[in-house]
Structures are given as C-alpha cells and as structure tokens.
PDB file of all heavy atoms in Angstrom:
ATOM      1  N   ARG H  12       6.116 -56.329  18.360  1.00  0.00           N
ATOM      2  CA  ARG H  12       5.568 -55.604  19.503  1.00  0.00           C
ATOM      3  C   ARG H  12       4.253 -56.239  19.919  1.00  0.00           C
ATOM      4  O   ARG H  12       3.524 -56.804  19.085  1.00  0.00           O
ATOM      5  CB  ARG H  12       5.398 -54.114  19.202  1.00  0.00           C
ATOM      6  CG  ARG H  12       4.365 -53.773  18.165  1.00  0.00           C
ATOM      7  CD  ARG H  12       4.417 -52.273  17.820  1.00  0.00           C
ATOM      8  NE  ARG H  12       4.263 -51.438  19.002  1.00  0.00           N
ATOM      9  CZ  ARG H  12       4.506 -50.114  19.022  1.00  0.00           C
ATOM     10  NH1 ARG H  12       4.922 -49.514  17.925  1.00  0.00           N
ATOM     11  NH2 ARG H  12       4.339 -49.418  20.125  1.00  0.00           N
ATOM     12  N   ASP H  13       3.986 -56.129  21.204  1.00  0.00           N
ATOM     13  CA  ASP H  13       2.740 -56.622  21.776  1.00  0.00           C
ATOM     14  C   ASP H  13       2.088 -55.425  22.454  1.00  0.00           C
ATOM     15  O   ASP H  13       2.483 -55.037  23.561  1.00  0.00           O
ATOM     16  CB  ASP H  13       3.019 -57.745  22.771  1.00  0.00           C
ATOM     17  CG  ASP H  13       1.759 -58.370  23.333  1.00  0.00           C
ATOM     18  OD1 ASP H  13       0.697 -57.701  23.332  1.00  0.00           O
ATOM     19  OD2 ASP H  13       1.829 -59.525  23.794  1.00  0.00           O
ATOM     20  N   LYS H  14       1.091 -54.848  21.800  1.00  0.00           N
ATOM     21  CA  LYS H  14       0.492 -53.631  22.330  1.00  0.00           C
ATOM     22  C   LYS H  14      -0.260 -53.890  23.631  1.00  0.00           C
ATOM     23  O   LYS H  14      -0.339 -53.016  24.493  1.00  0.00           O
ATOM     24  CB  LYS H  14      -0.413 -53.000  21.285  1.00  0.00           C
ATOM     25  CG  LYS H  14       0.365 -52.389  20.125  1.00  0.00           C
ATOM     26  CD  LYS H  14      -0.496 -51.508  19.262  1.00  0.00           C
ATOM     27  CE  LYS H  14       0.341 -50.795  18.214  1.00  0.00           C
ATOM     28  NZ  LYS H  14      -0.460 -49.872  17.398  1.00  0.00           N
ATOM     29  N   ALA H  15      -0.794 -55.059  23.792  1.00  0.00           N
ATOM     30  CA  ALA H  15      -1.519 -55.378  25.023  1.00  0.00           C
ATOM     31  C   ALA H  15      -0.583 -55.351  26.234  1.00  0.00           C
ATOM     32  O   ALA H  15      -1.007 -55.072  27.349  1.00  0.00           O
ATOM     33  CB  ALA H  15      -2.182 -56.739  24.900  1.00  0.00           C
ATOM     34  N   LYS H  16       0.710 -55.627  25.979  1.00  0.00           N
ATOM     35  CA  LYS H  16       1.699 -55.642  27.054  1.00  0.00           C
ATOM     36  C   LYS H  16       2.564 -54.389  27.068  1.00  0.00           C
ATOM     37  O   LYS H  16       3.499 -54.294  27.870  1.00  0.00           O
ATOM     38  CB  LYS H  16       2.586 -56.885  26.926  1.00  0.00           C
ATOM     39  CG  LYS H  16       1.838 -58.198  27.108  1.00  0.00           C
ATOM     40  CD  LYS H  16       2.789 -59.376  27.023  1.00  0.00           C
ATOM     41  CE  LYS H  16       2.057 -60.690  27.252  1.00  0.00           C
ATOM     42  NZ  LYS H  16       2.966 -61.864  27.177  1.00  0.00           N
ATOM     43  N   ASN H  17       2.283 -53.464  26.157  1.00  0.00           N
ATOM     44  CA  ASN H  17       3.104 -52.249  26.054  1.00  0.00           C
ATOM     45  C   ASN H  17       4.585 -52.599  25.957  1.00  0.00           C
ATOM     46  O   ASN H  17       5.437 -52.002  26.619  1.00  0.00           O
ATOM     47  CB  ASN H  17       2.883 -51.337  27.268  1.00  0.00           C
ATOM     48  CG  ASN H  17       1.662 -50.465  27.117  1.00  0.00           C
ATOM     49  OD1 ASN H  17       1.017 -50.437  26.066  1.00  0.00           O
ATOM     50  ND2 ASN H  17       1.318 -49.763  28.175  1.00  0.00           N
ATOM     51  N   THR H  18       4.885 -53.568  25.119  1.00  0.00           N
ATOM     52  CA  THR H  18       6.245 -54.072  25.022  1.00  0.00           C
ATOM     53  C   THR H  18       6.638 -54.303  23.563  1.00  0.00           C
ATOM     54  O   THR H  18       5.829 -54.782  22.768  1.00  0.00           O
ATOM     55  CB  THR H  18       6.392 -55.392  25.806  1.00  0.00           C
ATOM     56  OG1 THR H  18       6.053 -55.161  27.175  1.00  0.00           O
ATOM     57  CG2 THR H  18       7.819 -55.910  25.734  1.00  0.00           C
ATOM     58  N   ALA H  19       7.870 -53.957  23.252  1.00  0.00           N
ATOM     59  CA  ALA H  19       8.459 -54.258  21.953  1.00  0.00           C
ATOM     60  C   ALA H  19       9.640 -55.203  22.192  1.00  0.00           C
ATOM     61  O   ALA H  19      10.301 -55.139  23.237  1.00  0.00           O
ATOM     62  CB  ALA H  19       8.919 -52.995  21.250  1.00  0.00           C
ATOM     63  N   TYR H  20       9.891 -56.050  21.209  1.00  0.00           N
ATOM     64  CA  TYR H  20      10.916 -57.077  21.361  1.00  0.00           C
ATOM     65  C   TYR H  20      11.928 -57.019  20.222  1.00  0.00           C
ATOM     66  O   TYR H  20      11.571 -56.727  19.077  1.00  0.00           O
ATOM     67  CB  TYR H  20      10.282 -58.472  21.358  1.00  0.00           C
ATOM     68  CG  TYR H  20       9.230 -58.671  22.420  1.00  0.00           C
ATOM     69  CD1 TYR H  20       7.872 -58.535  22.112  1.00  0.00           C
ATOM     70  CD2 TYR H  20       9.582 -58.990  23.724  1.00  0.00           C
ATOM     71  CE1 TYR H  20       6.892 -58.716  23.068  1.00  0.00           C
ATOM     72  CE2 TYR H  20       8.612 -59.172  24.697  1.00  0.00           C
ATOM     73  CZ  TYR H  20       7.274 -59.033  24.367  1.00  0.00           C
ATOM     74  OH  TYR H  20       6.318 -59.202  25.328  1.00  0.00           O
ATOM     75  N   LEU H  21      13.166 -57.318  20.546  1.00  0.00           N
ATOM     76  CA  LEU H  21      14.201 -57.502  19.539  1.00  0.00           C
ATOM     77  C   LEU H  21      14.747 -58.912  19.719  1.00  0.00           C
ATOM     78  O   LEU H  21      15.420 -59.206  20.702  1.00  0.00           O
ATOM     79  CB  LEU H  21      15.326 -56.473  19.695  1.00  0.00           C
ATOM     80  CG  LEU H  21      16.448 -56.585  18.669  1.00  0.00           C
ATOM     81  CD1 LEU H  21      15.917 -56.212  17.280  1.00  0.00           C
ATOM     82  CD2 LEU H  21      17.626 -55.688  19.036  1.00  0.00           C
ATOM     83  N   GLN H  22      14.416 -59.786  18.775  1.00  0.00           N
ATOM     84  CA  GLN H  22      14.914 -61.143  18.799  1.00  0.00           C
ATOM     85  C   GLN H  22      16.218 -61.188  18.026  1.00  0.00           C
ATOM     86  O   GLN H  22      16.258 -60.873  16.836  1.00  0.00           O
ATOM     87  CB  GLN H  22      13.893 -62.096  18.159  1.00  0.00           C
ATOM     88  CG  GLN H  22      14.348 -63.548  18.093  1.00  0.00           C
ATOM     89  CD  GLN H  22      14.493 -64.186  19.453  1.00  0.00           C
ATOM     90  OE1 GLN H  22      13.652 -64.001  20.323  1.00  0.00           O
ATOM     91  NE2 GLN H  22      15.576 -64.940  19.644  1.00  0.00           N
ATOM     92  N   MET H  23      17.268 -61.576  18.715  1.00  0.00           N
ATOM     93  CA  MET H  23      18.599 -61.582  18.110  1.00  0.00           C
ATOM     94  C   MET H  23      19.090 -63.023  18.019  1.00  0.00           C
ATOM     95  O   MET H  23      19.270 -63.696  19.033  1.00  0.00           O
ATOM     96  CB  MET H  23      19.563 -60.753  18.971  1.00  0.00           C
ATOM     97  CG  MET H  23      19.076 -59.332  19.212  1.00  0.00           C
ATOM     98  SD  MET H  23      20.296 -58.309  20.067  1.00  0.00           S
ATOM     99  CE  MET H  23      20.383 -59.137  21.643  1.00  0.00           C
ATOM    100  N   ASN H  24      19.273 -63.477  16.792  1.00  0.00           N
ATOM    101  CA  ASN H  24      19.737 -64.846  16.548  1.00  0.00           C
ATOM    102  C   ASN H  24      21.126 -64.832  15.911  1.00  0.00           C
ATOM    103  O   ASN H  24      21.547 -63.821  15.339  1.00  0.00           O
ATOM    104  CB  ASN H  24      18.759 -65.572  15.625  1.00  0.00           C
ATOM    105  CG  ASN H  24      17.369 -65.686  16.213  1.00  0.00           C
ATOM    106  OD1 ASN H  24      17.199 -65.866  17.426  1.00  0.00           O
ATOM    107  ND2 ASN H  24      16.361 -65.580  15.370  1.00  0.00           N
ATOM    108  N   ILE H  25      21.796 -65.946  15.986  1.00  0.00           N
ATOM    109  CA  ILE H  25      23.132 -66.111  15.397  1.00  0.00           C
ATOM    110  C   ILE H  25      24.009 -64.925  15.792  1.00  0.00           C
ATOM    111  O   ILE H  25      24.607 -64.231  14.953  1.00  0.00           O
ATOM    112  CB  ILE H  25      23.075 -66.251  13.860  1.00  0.00           C
ATOM    113  CG1 ILE H  25      21.930 -67.181  13.448  1.00  0.00           C
ATOM    114  CG2 ILE H  25      24.402 -66.810  13.335  1.00  0.00           C
ATOM    115  CD1 ILE H  25      21.722 -67.276  11.953  1.00  0.00           C
ATOM    116  N   LEU H  26      24.085 -64.664  17.076  1.00  0.00           N
ATOM    117  CA  LEU H  26      24.834 -63.505  17.560  1.00  0.00           C
ATOM    118  C   LEU H  26      26.310 -63.640  17.245  1.00  0.00           C
ATOM    119  O   LEU H  26      26.888 -64.743  17.259  1.00  0.00           O
ATOM    120  CB  LEU H  26      24.622 -63.334  19.055  1.00  0.00           C
ATOM    121  CG  LEU H  26      23.292 -62.684  19.422  1.00  0.00           C
ATOM    122  CD1 LEU H  26      22.937 -62.939  20.877  1.00  0.00           C
ATOM    123  CD2 LEU H  26      23.323 -61.188  19.140  1.00  0.00           C
ATOM    124  N   LYS H  27      26.920 -62.501  16.941  1.00  0.00           N
ATOM    125  CA  LYS H  27      28.329 -62.433  16.613  1.00  0.00           C
ATOM    126  C   LYS H  27      29.060 -61.593  17.651  1.00  0.00           C
ATOM    127  O   LYS H  27      28.449 -60.765  18.330  1.00  0.00           O
ATOM    128  CB  LYS H  27      28.516 -61.805  15.234  1.00  0.00           C
ATOM    129  CG  LYS H  27      27.791 -62.533  14.110  1.00  0.00           C
ATOM    130  CD  LYS H  27      27.978 -61.803  12.790  1.00  0.00           C
ATOM    131  CE  LYS H  27      27.263 -62.520  11.651  1.00  0.00           C
ATOM    132  NZ  LYS H  27      27.445 -61.808  10.360  1.00  0.00           N
ATOM    133  N   VAL H  28      30.355 -61.766  17.736  1.00  0.00           N
ATOM    134  CA  VAL H  28      31.143 -60.975  18.682  1.00  0.00           C
ATOM    135  C   VAL H  28      30.944 -59.486  18.423  1.00  0.00           C
ATOM    136  O   VAL H  28      30.860 -58.686  19.362  1.00  0.00           O
ATOM    137  CB  VAL H  28      32.630 -61.357  18.578  1.00  0.00           C
ATOM    138  CG1 VAL H  28      33.478 -60.411  19.409  1.00  0.00           C
ATOM    139  CG2 VAL H  28      32.847 -62.802  19.002  1.00  0.00           C
ATOM    140  N   GLU H  29      30.808 -59.126  17.153  1.00  0.00           N
ATOM    141  CA  GLU H  29      30.651 -57.700  16.807  1.00  0.00           C
ATOM    142  C   GLU H  29      29.286 -57.137  17.184  1.00  0.00           C
ATOM    143  O   GLU H  29      29.051 -55.943  17.030  1.00  0.00           O
ATOM    144  CB  GLU H  29      30.925 -57.475  15.314  1.00  0.00           C
ATOM    145  CG  GLU H  29      30.183 -58.406  14.391  1.00  0.00           C
ATOM    146  CD  GLU H  29      31.026 -59.602  13.977  1.00  0.00           C
ATOM    147  OE1 GLU H  29      31.725 -60.182  14.835  1.00  0.00           O
ATOM    148  OE2 GLU H  29      30.978 -59.975  12.784  1.00  0.00           O
ATOM    149  N   ASP H  30      28.381 -57.981  17.663  1.00  0.00           N
ATOM    150  CA  ASP H  30      27.096 -57.484  18.178  1.00  0.00           C
ATOM    151  C   ASP H  30      27.223 -56.991  19.619  1.00  0.00           C
ATOM    152  O   ASP H  30      26.265 -56.436  20.172  1.00  0.00           O
ATOM    153  CB  ASP H  30      26.035 -58.583  18.125  1.00  0.00           C
ATOM    154  CG  ASP H  30      25.658 -58.983  16.706  1.00  0.00           C
ATOM    155  OD1 ASP H  30      25.547 -58.092  15.852  1.00  0.00           O
ATOM    156  OD2 ASP H  30      25.489 -60.197  16.466  1.00  0.00           O
ATOM    157  N   THR H  31      28.374 -57.185  20.221  1.00  0.00           N
ATOM    158  CA  THR H  31      28.593 -56.743  21.600  1.00  0.00           C
ATOM    159  C   THR H  31      28.448 -55.227  21.700  1.00  0.00           C
ATOM    160  O   THR H  31      29.094 -54.479  20.972  1.00  0.00           O
ATOM    161  CB  THR H  31      29.998 -57.162  22.081  1.00  0.00           C
ATOM    162  OG1 THR H  31      30.062 -58.588  22.124  1.00  0.00           O
ATOM    163  CG2 THR H  31      30.282 -56.594  23.460  1.00  0.00           C
ATOM    164  N   ALA H  32      27.560 -54.788  22.585  1.00  0.00           N
ATOM    165  CA  ALA H  32      27.279 -53.362  22.740  1.00  0.00           C
ATOM    166  C   ALA H  32      26.255 -53.171  23.849  1.00  0.00           C
ATOM    167  O   ALA H  32      25.649 -54.140  24.321  1.00  0.00           O
ATOM    168  CB  ALA H  32      26.738 -52.767  21.439  1.00  0.00           C
ATOM    169  N   VAL H  33      26.053 -51.925  24.217  1.00  0.00           N
ATOM    170  CA  VAL H  33      24.896 -51.566  25.036  1.00  0.00           C
ATOM    171  C   VAL H  33      23.767 -51.265  24.061  1.00  0.00           C
ATOM    172  O   VAL H  33      23.934 -50.476  23.127  1.00  0.00           O
ATOM    173  CB  VAL H  33      25.181 -50.350  25.924  1.00  0.00           C
ATOM    174  CG1 VAL H  33      23.926 -49.981  26.706  1.00  0.00           C
ATOM    175  CG2 VAL H  33      26.343 -50.635  26.862  1.00  0.00           C
ATOM    176  N   TYR H  34      22.637 -51.894  24.269  1.00  0.00           N
ATOM    177  CA  TYR H  34      21.479 -51.731  23.396  1.00  0.00           C
ATOM    178  C   TYR H  34      20.470 -50.808  24.070  1.00  0.00           C
ATOM    179  O   TYR H  34      20.081 -51.029  25.221  1.00  0.00           O
ATOM    180  CB  TYR H  34      20.851 -53.083  23.097  1.00  0.00           C
ATOM    181  CG  TYR H  34      21.631 -53.878  22.072  1.00  0.00           C
ATOM    182  CD1 TYR H  34      22.879 -54.413  22.387  1.00  0.00           C
ATOM    183  CD2 TYR H  34      21.152 -54.061  20.782  1.00  0.00           C
ATOM    184  CE1 TYR H  34      23.619 -55.112  21.454  1.00  0.00           C
ATOM    185  CE2 TYR H  34      21.876 -54.773  19.838  1.00  0.00           C
ATOM    186  CZ  TYR H  34      23.113 -55.298  20.181  1.00  0.00           C
ATOM    187  OH  TYR H  34      23.844 -55.997  19.245  1.00  0.00           O
ATOM    188  N   PHE H  35      20.048 -49.797  23.324  1.00  0.00           N
ATOM    189  CA  PHE H  35      19.107 -48.808  23.831  1.00  0.00           C
ATOM    190  C   PHE H  35      17.792 -48.892  23.069  1.00  0.00           C
ATOM    191  O   PHE H  35      17.782 -48.975  21.842  1.00  0.00           O
ATOM    192  CB  PHE H  35      19.667 -47.399  23.663  1.00  0.00           C
ATOM    193  CG  PHE H  35      20.912 -47.131  24.445  1.00  0.00           C
ATOM    194  CD1 PHE H  35      22.153 -47.375  23.889  1.00  0.00           C
ATOM    195  CD2 PHE H  35      20.840 -46.622  25.734  1.00  0.00           C
ATOM    196  CE1 PHE H  35      23.311 -47.118  24.605  1.00  0.00           C
ATOM    197  CE2 PHE H  35      21.996 -46.367  26.461  1.00  0.00           C
ATOM    198  CZ  PHE H  35      23.237 -46.618  25.891  1.00  0.00           C
ATOM    199  N   CYS H  36      16.717 -48.831  23.807  1.00  0.00           N
ATOM    200  CA  CYS H  36      15.393 -48.731  23.221  1.00  0.00           C
ATOM    201  C   CYS H  36      15.014 -47.255  23.145  1.00  0.00           C
ATOM    202  O   CYS H  36      15.326 -46.479  24.055  1.00  0.00           O
ATOM    203  CB  CYS H  36      14.398 -49.484  24.098  1.00  0.00           C
ATOM    204  SG  CYS H  36      12.689 -49.340  23.596  1.00  0.00           S
ATOM    205  N   ALA H  37      14.340 -46.872  22.066  1.00  0.00           N
ATOM    206  CA  ALA H  37      13.904 -45.498  21.898  1.00  0.00           C
ATOM    207  C   ALA H  37      12.520 -45.500  21.265  1.00  0.00           C
ATOM    208  O   ALA H  37      12.154 -46.449  20.562  1.00  0.00           O
ATOM    209  CB  ALA H  37      14.878 -44.728  21.021  1.00  0.00           C
ATOM    210  N   SER H  38      11.773 -44.434  21.503  1.00  0.00           N
ATOM    211  CA  SER H  38      10.445 -44.358  20.893  1.00  0.00           C
ATOM    212  C   SER H  38      10.078 -42.917  20.564  1.00  0.00           C
ATOM    213  O   SER H  38      10.686 -41.965  21.067  1.00  0.00           O
ATOM    214  CB  SER H  38       9.390 -44.982  21.810  1.00  0.00           C
ATOM    215  OG  SER H  38       9.064 -44.130  22.885  1.00  0.00           O
ATOM    216  N   LYS H  39       9.098 -42.774  19.693  1.00  0.00           N
ATOM    217  CA  LYS H  39       8.587 -41.455  19.323  1.00  0.00           C
ATOM    218  C   LYS H  39       7.140 -41.628  18.892  1.00  0.00           C
ATOM    219  O   LYS H  39       6.767 -42.637  18.279  1.00  0.00           O
ATOM    220  CB  LYS H  39       9.402 -40.859  18.176  1.00  0.00           C
ATOM    221  CG  LYS H  39       9.366 -41.694  16.908  1.00  0.00           C
ATOM    222  CD  LYS H  39      10.122 -41.036  15.761  1.00  0.00           C
ATOM    223  CE  LYS H  39      10.080 -41.914  14.519  1.00  0.00           C
ATOM    224  NZ  LYS H  39      10.758 -41.266  13.366  1.00  0.00           N
TER     225      LYS H  39
END
C-alpha cells in the first residue's frame, strides 16, 4: 500500500487459469 496515494496494490505473478475471477477490494 502507498498511503500517500491512498492506494493498495495486489501484484499477481505466475497467473494460472484458476485465478480467473472478479476481484473485489474491501476495507475496514
């Protein structure tokens, strides 16, 4: 996460077919 940019990141490497999905961000 980069607090200065109010942004969180998910770096996904070596992606597989089974990673196919809708990805949702959530916070609390």
Side-chain angles (χ1 to χ4, degrees):
R12 67 187 304 168
D13 184 336
K14 289 193 174 183
K16 296 182 178 180
N17 277 354
T18 301
Y20 303 98
L21 181 68
Q22 178 66 43
M23 305 186 295
N24 299 324
I25 317 175
L26 281 162
K27 302 177 180 180
V28 172
E29 50 264 43
D30 293 320
T31 295
V33 177
Y34 283 70
F35 296 90
C36 175
S38 76
K39 61 177 179 177

